[in-house]
Amino acid sequence: MTDTTRDVERIYSTPEVVAKLRRLADALESETPFRIQIAGERIRVPARAQFSIEHERGEDEEEIEFQLKWSLDEDDEDEDGDEESDV
């Protein structure tokens, strides 16, 4: 069994981010699952995932996070998804 707690962050070039966002946008628009590989782990984001945007402001910096969130459900295992991308 794998550890359920995980927090991974990685910096990408602009072309890499554009490609990942384009694939994600296509999946969101077509209401299909999205597959992505993050630090060696394959992640499947179901079509029912909720999308949110967060903005944080501190004294010295600001941050915007694009976030997808979903509950784990075994029924999602049967859905097809997009090809994977390594994050």
Side-chain angles (χ1 to χ4, degrees):
M1 182 172 184
T2 61
D3 186 5
T4 58
T5 303
R6 188 168 193 229
D7 191 356
V8 177
E9 184 174 338
R10 185 170 162 197
I11 304 298
Y12 291 93
S13 69
T14 298
E16 289 172 317
V17 171
V18 168
K20 292 174 191 323
L21 289 175
R22 186 164 286 127
R23 280 180 56 268
L24 175 58
D26 289 346
L28 290 171
E29 187 172 54
S30 64
E31 298 181 359
T32 58
F34 177 74
R35 291 185 186 271
I36 189 165
Q37 186 166 325
I38 303 172
E41 184 175 335
R42 292 179 182 161
I43 308 295
R44 187 190 159 284
V45 180
R48 65 177 168 70
Q50 293 182 331
F51 186 80
S52 65
I53 300 173
E54 294 182 22
H55 175 241
E56 297 177 25
R57 178 181 294 137
E59 285 188 34
D60 298 337
E61 65 183 10
E62 291 191 54
E63 180 177 329
I64 294 176
E65 291 183 11
F66 295 88
Q67 186 175 72
L68 290 157
K69 188 181 252 186
W70 65 97
S71 60
L72 300 177
D73 186 350
E74 289 184 27
D75 293 341
D76 289 331
E77 295 297 320
D78 294 333
E79 291 183 34
D80 291 330
D82 199 4
E83 67 184 55
E84 296 175 7
S85 174
D86 188 20
V87 172

